[in-house]
Amino acid sequence: MFLLAMRTLRFRRGSFIASFLAMFLGSVLLMSWGGLFESGLRNVVPPERLAAAPVVVAGEQAYTLSDGSTEVKLPERVPVDRSLADAIGKLPGVRQAVADVSLPAGLIKGNDVVKADVPTVGHGWSSAALAPYTLTEGTGAEKAGEVVLDRQLAQRAGFRVGDQAKITVAGTDRTYKIVGLAQNKGVTSQQALFLADSEITGLLPRKDKASVIAVLPKPGVSTGDLAKQVATVATEHKALVLTGDDRGQAEFPEAQRFTMNLQIVSVVFGGMVTAVALFGVASPLALAVQQRHREMALLRASGAVPRQLRRMILSETFVLSVVATALAVLPSPALSRWIMDRLVDGQVASAQMTFHLGWVSIAATAALALGTALGAAAIASRRATQVRATEALADADVQRRPLGKARIFFALLCFLGSASTGVMTVTVMQGPMAGSTAGSSTTLFVMGLALLGPRIAQGLLAVLSLPMRLFGLSGTLAALNTRARAARVAAVITPVMLLTGIACADLYMGTTEVTMAKERYSETMHADAALIAPPGGFGPGTLDQVRKLNGVGAASEFVSSIGYVDSPKDSKQTKDGWPVQGITATGSAGTAPVTPTAGSLENLRGNSVALAEAHAESLGRGVGDEITMRLGDGTQATFKVAALFAAKDGFESILLPADLLAQHTNTGKPTRIMVKAQPGVSVGEVTASLASFAATQPGSQAADRDVLTESYASAFNTEVLANYLVVVVVIGFGALAVVNSLVTSTVRRTREFGLQRLAGSTRKQVLRMVGMEAGVVAFAGLLLGTIGAIVGLLPFLISRFDLVVPRGSIGVYLGIVGFVALLTFTATIVPTRRALRIRAVQAAGQMQ
C-alpha cells in the first residue's frame, strides 16, 4: 500500500508539498522553543570579572515567602559581611580573600557622562586581579584621588595616563588622577574603573558590607578543597560558596530573576506553538485525506481494509515528518538564538545567560514534532478509513457523516479546560500573572471550536448562504459549494480562526496592560517634573539645591525597589512582591504618588511605612501598628505604620523613607528628585529651571510628566514586547498554515473549475464565486476567532482591571481583520487564476 501511494505521488504534488511544509515549519518552531526552555532550565551564567577566582562567596539571593510555599529571587544584590573576608583569609588554603565592591559609576568628559554599550562600574583596586585585569600602562590606584581606567573606556573618552578625570560615583562628582590603564580578559558586560580600596569603601552606604568575596587559593590547593574550607566559615554567615559557572550568579544576581521570566515565556511559547503546530499540520493533512476520498474508495472497492489504508496514510506521514524534522534541525538553532536575543533586547532574559540547544532538547522536540504529525494524521485518516466500501464512491465528494464521539469528547474537554482557566484567572491569579492563564483559556476554546469545526461550519454556512444567494448565480454557486463541502471548508477555517483568536487575545492583553499602567500612573502622580540622576545616584546636598531653584514649590527624593511582608501573614502578596517606593517626608505633600487617607506622610521618617488601605486591612494593621518586611537586598526590618492611602486593586505599593530604602538598593542613592511647581508657575517653567540645573550636573536629566509616564510604562512595554515577539512567531506560522490550507484546497478544485466552465460559466463568474467563498471563510474564521479571543480576554480584564472592554486602538483589530482578509483572498484568488489558465477540457479530465 505504501509503495502504491508513493507511485501515485506525482498526481498529488500540491497536497504533498503543503503537508511537508507544514511539518517542516512546525518542527522548526518546536525545536526553537526547545532552545529557550533548555536555556532557562540550565540557567548557566558564566563569570566574567570574577573568572580568576575559583571560589566566590555571595549572599543568598533566594528568599522563601512567609507562608513557606514559594521561593523567590530578591531583586537587589544581597551583600556579605566584610569581616567574613578576614576570617576566610586566615584559612590554610587561602592565598587572598578579596572583598569586592560594585558601585554604578560614570566617567565624565566635558559636561556629560561618557556613553558606552555596557554600564560602567566602580571597584576597589584589589579586585582588579579577579578578571584578571592587567596593567598595560602606569601603576595601580593605591591612594585616595587615584583611578585606573579600563583601557577601552579611556580610549573612548580620549584620556591618557596622567590626565585628570571627573568621575561620578555614589552621588558624588570628584576629580581623580588617572594613574594607570588596565586591559581586561573576557569581560564583556561592563567597563570598570578602579579606585583605592579605602576610598571606595568610604563611599559605601553600608561600610560593613561587600558585594562578594572572591577567594584565591595557595599553590597546589584544588578548587574542591578550597570550597570545603571556605564553607566552614561562610555557613556561619548564611553565605553561599560558589564554584564553576555558579560564580556568575554572584557577579550577575539580576540574571536569577530573569531566569524565571525566560522559563515562563518558554512555557507559554511552547504551549502556543504546540497547539498551532498541531492544527497547522492537521489542516493540510485533513484536506489531503479528504481530497483522496475517491482514491480511498477505489482501494476499498478493490479489497483494501481500513487498517491497510490507515497504515498507508500514517506511513506516508511518518516518512514526510522524518524528512521535515531532519531538515528542521538546520535552521532551528539560528531561529531559537534570534528569539533569545530579542528577549534580551526586551529585558526579559539576561544577556549574561548562556544560550543552550543541546541534542537532548533537539531529540525531545523532534519526537514531539513527529508525534504531532502522526497524531494529526491519525485524526485525519480516521474518517476516510471507516466508510464501508459500498458507500465510499458515493461519499467521495460530499461528507455528511456525523462527528465521532471521540472528537466531541475532546472538544468538550477543551471547553471545560477553557472555562476552568477562565475561572482561575478571575478567582486565583493576581497581577500580571493573570495573562498566563487567560492566554491558555483562548487557545483551549479555539481548539474546541476546531474539533467541532464541520458542524459549526455547517451552521454558519447555512446562515451565510441566504445573503450569498442575493449576488446572483455566482453567489448561489458559492453557497451550494460551501455547504456541500462543509468538512473541507472547516479545515480551511480552522487556521484562520486560530490565527485570529491568538492574535486578538494576546495583542489586546498587551495594549490594555500598557494603557492602564499609564492611566493609573498619571492618576497618582502629583509631581510636575523630575530630575533624573546620573549612574551613581544623587548625593544628599542635591535635594536642597533643587528646592532653591526658581519655580520649585516642593521637592522629594525618590527610590524604587521590591519588598515582601514577613509579618503578619500577607494574603495579597504574590511571588513578585510589592513595589516599594522611597520618598522624602519633607516635600512629600506635593510630590508623593499617593493621597493619604489616615495619618500623615510627614511622619514617614526612620523605620516607618505607609500602606494602601486595602493592603493594611488585609494585614489587620492601622496607623501606629507595626509590620515586618524583607527589603530587596534581604534585610529584615520592623516598620511602624505612619499613614494609609487609597490605591486601586493591582496597583498598590508600599512607601518608605527614601534615605532608608536607598541603602538597600544596588545604587545606594536616590535615583530621582520629584518636583512640584509653585502656585502660578507652569510645568514648562519648572521643567526649564530643572533643565538648566541639570546642565551643571553631569549625567543628570530633567523630565516632564509625559517623559515620566513613558518611563514608568517602559517596564510594562518590555513585558508586552516579549509577548508580541512570541505572538509574531506564532502568527507567522499560523499565516503560513492559512495560506497552505487555502492554496491546497483551491488547487485541488482545478477539475471542478473545468467542469463548471464546460457547463457555461465564464472565468469571471468562477473567480467571483471563489472570491465569495473566500469571503465566507475569512468571515467565519474571524468571527469564531474573535469569540475565542473574548473568552480569554474577559476573565483577564475582570481580574486585572475590573474592565469588560479591552483598552487599545480599534486599529489593532482592523489590522488583524485586514491581514486575515488579505491572506485569505490572495491564497484563494491567485491559485484560482492559475487553474483557470488551463483549458476547460484539459482541466475537466484531470485526476481529482
Side-chain angles (χ1 to χ4, degrees):
M1 295 297 291
F2 177 72
L3 292 177
L4 179 62
M6 292 295 101
R7 288 171 182 172
T8 60
L9 184 62
R10 62 191 179 92
F11 297 106
R12 43 191 172 82
R13 286 190 296 256
S15 60
F16 169 82
I17 293 173
S19 299
F20 177 82
L21 185 60
M23 293 175 194
F24 171 75
L25 294 173
S27 299
V28 169
L29 283 182
L30 286 170
M31 290 183 186
S32 301
W33 160 69
L36 298 181
F37 185 75
E38 183 179 355
S39 298
L41 194 62
R42 284 175 176 264
N43 187 25
V44 175
V45 183
E48 292 182 6
R49 200 179 50 78
L50 302 177
V55 174
V56 173
V57 179
E60 174 61 85
Q61 292 291 144
Y63 160 67
T64 302
L65 297 184
S66 56
D67 60 6
S69 62
T70 306
E71 184 178 274
V72 299
K73 299 298 183 181
L74 294 166
E76 312 288 350
R77 180 188 293 276
V78 177
V80 293
D81 293 332
R82 182 175 289 275
S83 60
L84 181 56
D86 297 330
I88 293 174
K90 297 175 182 178
L91 295 173
V94 175
R95 172 167 59 90
Q96 185 181 8
V98 180
D100 180 46
V101 172
S102 297
L103 286 177
L107 176 63
I108 299 171
K109 184 176 182 180
N111 200 38
D112 202 0
V113 173
V114 177
K115 299 292 189 287
D117 296 331
V118 293
T120 300
V121 182
H123 303 281
W125 173 241
S126 62
S127 69
L130 304 178
Y133 272 84
T134 304
L135 272 175
T136 57
E137 294 183 51
T139 62
E142 304 291 350
K143 298 183 296 184
E146 295 181 342
V147 64
V148 174
L149 297 182
D150 184 303
R151 188 176 187 84
Q152 293 180 341
L153 179 61
Q155 289 175 346
R156 182 185 293 270
F159 286 120
R160 296 179 297 180
V161 173
D163 290 345
Q164 299 289 320
K166 182 179 287 188
I167 292 172
T168 176
V169 58
T172 63
D173 295 344
R174 298 182 183 180
T175 300
Y176 293 83
K177 181 181 179 181
I178 302 175
V179 296
L181 301 180
Q183 182 70 46
N184 73 69
K185 293 183 180 180
V187 179
T188 61
S189 298
Q190 63 172 257
Q191 292 183 134
L193 55 85
F194 300 95
L195 305 179
D197 291 341
S198 59
E199 182 156 11
I200 200 161
T201 301
L203 295 172
L204 293 173
R206 301 165 69 189
K207 298 175 176 53
D208 60 332
K209 300 292 184 180
S211 300
V212 297
I213 297 173
V215 186
L216 302 174
K218 288 181 179 179
V221 178
S222 68
T223 299
D225 291 340
L226 182 64
K228 290 179 181 178
Q229 291 184 33
V230 173
T232 60
V233 179
T235 303
E236 300 175 4
H237 292 256
K238 298 181 180 180
L240 296 178
V241 179
L242 306 173
T243 60
D245 284 339
D246 289 342
R247 293 171 295 164
Q249 298 179 15
E251 187 171 349
F252 307 106
E254 66 280 0
Q256 297 183 47
R257 287 178 64 85
F258 281 128
T259 299
M260 184 59 68
N261 291 343
L262 183 59
Q263 290 174 353
I264 292 174
V265 169
S266 63
V267 169
V268 174
F269 180 65
M272 293 174 66
V273 165
T274 302
V276 174
L278 176 63
F279 284 97
V281 172
S283 293
L285 278 176
L287 284 171
V289 172
Q290 289 167 13
Q291 291 160 359
R292 294 171 63 187
H293 276 188
R294 189 177 299 277
E295 175 188 334
M296 300 291 179
L298 290 172
L299 290 173
R300 289 297 311 278
S302 300
V305 297
R307 178 169 50 84
Q308 291 176 305
L309 298 181
R310 189 179 301 111
R311 187 190 307 149
M312 179 185 72
I313 294 173
L314 290 175
S315 299
E316 293 174 6
T317 303
F318 178 76
V319 171
L320 281 180
S321 59
V322 167
V323 176
T325 303
L327 291 176
V329 173
L330 300 177
S332 297
L335 177 60
S336 186
R337 184 56 189 259
W338 181 85
I339 296 174
M340 180 78 167
D341 290 342
R342 302 293 76 75
L343 294 175
V344 170
D345 293 341
Q347 299 180 17
V348 175
S350 170
Q352 289 75 38
M353 183 180 293
T354 301
F355 172 77
H356 278 281
L357 178 56
W359 68 268
V360 174
S361 293
I362 291 177
T365 50
L368 180 59
L370 288 172
T372 300
L374 292 176
I379 295 172
S381 64
R382 188 172 181 273
R383 166 69 187 93
T385 57
Q386 284 190 338
V387 294
R388 294 195 300 268
T390 54
E391 298 175 347
L393 290 174
D395 194 45
D397 291 316
V398 180
Q399 302 86 43
R400 299 187 179 89
R401 189 182 179 94
L403 292 176
K405 294 180 180 179
R407 194 162 185 165
I408 295 175
F409 173 74
F410 283 112
L412 292 176
L413 278 183
C414 288
F415 290 137
L416 180 62
S418 176
S420 299
T421 52
V423 172
M424 185 184 300
T425 302
V426 175
T427 59
V428 178
M429 306 304 288
Q430 297 180 6
M433 290 302 296
S436 59
T437 51
S440 300
S441 181
T442 292
T443 303
L444 287 170
F445 186 81
V446 173
M447 289 171 64
L449 291 179
L451 289 169
L452 300 180
R455 287 296 168 262
I456 294 176
Q458 282 184 343
L460 275 175
L461 297 174
V463 174
L464 295 175
S465 64
L466 298 177
M468 289 170 66
R469 294 175 185 273
L470 300 177
F471 292 90
L473 179 61
S474 297
T476 301
L477 287 174
L480 293 173
N481 277 336
T482 51
R483 293 191 66 182
R485 299 166 52 251
R488 296 185 184 183
V489 173
V492 176
I493 289 175
T494 295
V496 178
M497 174 178 61
L498 198 63
L499 170 63
T500 304
I502 292 177
C504 287
D506 283 19
L507 292 179
Y508 272 110
M509 274 193 276
T511 57
T512 303
E513 191 79 53
V514 174
T515 301
M516 292 304 297
K518 289 182 178 180
E519 288 184 6
R520 297 286 169 86
Y521 182 76
S522 181
E523 290 173 1
T524 58
M525 187 175 68
H526 297 168
D528 295 318
L531 185 68
I532 300 175
F538 287 123
T542 309
L543 179 61
D544 293 333
Q545 291 177 284
V546 170
R547 286 173 173 167
K548 297 176 183 178
L549 295 178
N550 292 332
V552 174
S556 168
E557 292 175 328
F558 181 85
V559 186
S560 62
S561 185
I562 299 292
Y564 300 86
V565 175
D566 279 349
S567 177
K569 184 178 180 180
D570 192 349
S571 60
K572 293 173 67 67
Q573 184 165 262
T574 69
K575 69 179 186 62
D576 295 319
W578 292 101
V580 181
Q581 299 174 342
I583 63 173
T584 309
T586 303
S588 61
T591 59
V594 299
T595 301
T597 56
S600 173
L601 295 180
E602 292 290 333
N603 297 327
L604 199 63
R605 306 170 189 272
N607 277 34
S608 59
V609 66
L611 300 174
E613 288 180 316
H615 188 194
E617 182 178 355
S618 69
L619 295 174
R621 293 296 187 267
V623 175
D625 295 330
E626 292 184 340
I627 66 170
T628 301
M629 286 186 60
R630 183 83 55 168
L631 300 180
D633 67 346
T635 300
Q636 188 181 58
T638 299
F639 300 93
K640 184 177 181 179
V641 179
L644 303 179
F645 55 87
K648 294 185 178 180
D649 186 44
F651 287 85
E652 300 99 333
S653 61
I654 295 175
L655 299 186
L656 292 176
D659 56 352
L660 183 150
L661 181 60
Q663 296 180 34
H664 301 280
T665 63
N666 292 336
T667 303
K669 298 291 180 181
T671 54
R672 290 184 185 178
I673 294 178
M674 310 301 290
V675 173
K676 183 72 174 178
Q678 291 177 347
V681 177
S682 68
V683 174
E685 289 175 320
V686 76
T687 303
S689 182
L690 278 179
S692 298
F693 177 73
T696 67
Q697 306 292 313
S700 298
Q701 295 178 335
D704 58 16
R705 289 178 61 90
D706 292 338
V707 173
L708 293 173
T709 301
E710 291 298 328
S711 176
Y712 174 78
S714 63
F716 296 92
N717 275 319
T718 55
E719 295 177 7
V720 170
L721 286 173
N723 189 46
Y724 287 170
L725 172 64
V726 174
V727 173
V728 165
V729 173
V730 174
I731 286 177
F733 178 69
L736 290 172
V738 170
V739 173
N740 217 357
S741 299
L742 287 168
V743 171
T744 303
S745 177
T746 305
V747 168
R748 293 294 298 180
R749 297 176 65 187
T750 300
R751 181 173 181 271
E752 174 192 332
F753 296 153
L755 291 172
Q756 187 174 339
R757 287 159 60 197
L758 289 176
S761 295
T762 64
R763 286 184 172 86
K764 183 180 293 186
Q765 287 174 320
V766 174
L767 281 172
R768 189 181 301 126
M769 176 195 73
V770 171
M772 295 190 69
E773 292 176 9
V776 170
V777 169
F779 178 81
L782 285 166
L783 176 63
L784 295 175
T786 302
I787 293 173
I790 292 173
V791 167
L793 271 174
L794 198 56
F796 170 78
L797 295 173
I798 294 173
S799 169
R800 187 84 172 93
F801 305 108
D802 290 329
L803 298 174
V804 292
V805 178
R807 297 293 179 88
S809 172
I810 187 64
V812 174
Y813 183 72
L814 294 179
I816 295 172
V817 171
F819 178 67
V820 169
L822 179 63
L823 277 180
T824 305
F825 280 98
T826 302
T828 305
I829 298 298
V830 171
T832 299
R833 293 179 68 91
R834 292 189 62 184
L836 292 177
R837 293 175 186 171
I838 304 173
R839 294 177 57 191
V841 174
Q842 183 181 355
Q846 286 192 2
M847 180 179 178
Q848 185 72 5

